[in-house]
Amino acid sequence: MNSIQFDYSVPRYVLSKMMGKFSKSFYWDSRFSCIRLRRVEVPKLPNDEWVKVKVKYGGICGSDLNLILLNDSPATSPFASFPFTIGHEVVGTIEEVGSKVENIHVGDRVVIDPILSCITRGIADPCPNCRQGDYSLCHFMTEGEISPGMLIGTCRDTGGSWGPYLVAHKSQVLKLPDHVNDLNGVLVEPFSCALHAVLRNRPKKDDTVLVIGAGAIGICVVAAIRALEIPCRLVVLAKHAFQAQLASHYGADEIIYLTKNKDYIYQTAKSLHASVLEPLFGDPVIQGGADLIFECVGNKQSINDALRFARHGGKVVLLGLAGIIDGVDWTTVWLNELDIKGSFAYSTDEYQGKKMRTLQIAIELMRNEKVDLSPLVTHRFPLENYREALQTVVNKGKGSIMKVVFEP
């Protein structure tokens, strides 16, 4: 079968880093790149507790793009095994079932919780985090019966959604209700990233919440807050008109456009009922601001904005997968005694008094028609057109582009 794989080597990494400065397409459209469309064997079940999934849609995530553009910190490299088939956003059908799997049948339509934690790795004595349901914080993502990998899509043994088939442990399989369509299905995983951040950092009644970034994760944060019926004021900082339309559609109260000049700083401060102070030099200083900020981009500007627009004693939640970034001014963290919180993936969260896997909560919200994310899927490509797909993703400003998916 054909799959899109990431295959690390020092020469390819160095050449891509050098040539990618001149054209991003070099990262995927060169014989020296780390990306390969190649024929690989269909992944085998590691043991009788696993299933094989035939992929219907595999999403392109911001973290996948970070990987391809070689923006990931080397600190994440021990938690992967090369070469691996990319892709952890998936909806598909069960193709094969291990003999120790119950209540899952061939033909079932499913989504997969891709985290490869203790239970999936066959570790008999789970780590403390896995015992309490914080699977994304597992201690043993490099150990057990399968190769290292945080997620399906970073492990060479499991395959990924940028290929026709992948394998998953029975504990990772979540059935889709009949009336939740496949486009919503492929968005269960990214929506769960946003949902986890919101449920762990729930806005209070009448809070002013600022969402920085209106890509898929930023829009999903807005959608999650409204689906959970949290009564707060939502302000979104967006880059493109199509993003602003979707932010409004999902319940943002106000949208401010990010501009190349500093006008957006004054507009955002006004929206947040904050005052603007002029320093001796440099960007304006904001006095006051949002109660809670979800940073969904992960670059120098977005992080500086998140820190500047938080009120005294406010909270900033980092979802944007920031890596090694120079030029971030951390002064306001101590000056305003900010609470800075990271958020990675999903695990278990509380919903309606019950502790559930975050992906199951996402499915419940879709089943109960609290949210319909299908409008976010704007483009679909076969695997063979991966160059065009990736070019589309990196050129979001040139059209109405939000979520791009593969149809293996």
Side-chain angles (χ1 to χ4, degrees), residues 160-182:
S161 65
W162 294 14
Y165 296 96
L166 57 82
V167 294
H169 188 266
K170 62 183 181 181
S171 65
Q172 297 174 279
V173 179
L174 297 163
K175 295 182 183 180
L176 271 186
D178 289 341
H179 67 277
V180 175
N181 63 30
D182 289 335

Side-chain angles (χ1 to χ4, degrees), residues 6 68 78 87 110 184 187 192 234 238 249 273 322 333 345 364 380 390:
F6 185 88
I68 291 166
V110 299
N184 271 290
L187 287 162
S192 297
L234 265 174
H249 171 77
H273 307 295
V333 175
E364 281 297 295
R380 311 178 212 180
L390 295 173

Side-chain angles (χ1 to χ4, degrees), residues 45 47-52 94 96-102 104 168 170:
L45 304 187
N47 58 50
D48 291 336
E49 294 186 343
W50 286 63
V51 302
K52 184 183 297 177
I94 298 294
E96 182 184 349
V97 177
S99 61
K100 294 183 180 178
V101 176
E102 298 177 350
I104 300 171
K170 62 183 181 181

Side-chain angles (χ1 to χ4, degrees), residues 7 12 16 26-36:
D7 192 4
R12 283 198 293 269
S16 294
F26 197 90
Y27 289 111
W28 61 80
D29 193 12
S30 163
R31 63 191 181 94
F32 300 110
S33 77
C34 295
I35 304 301
R36 295 281 187 276

Side-chain angles (χ1 to χ4, degrees), residues 46-65:
N47 58 50
D48 291 336
E49 294 186 343
W50 286 63
V51 302
K52 184 183 297 177
V53 178
K54 184 177 182 180
V55 177
K56 174 65 181 293
Y57 294 129
I60 301 178
C61 175
S63 62
D64 298 326
L65 200 59

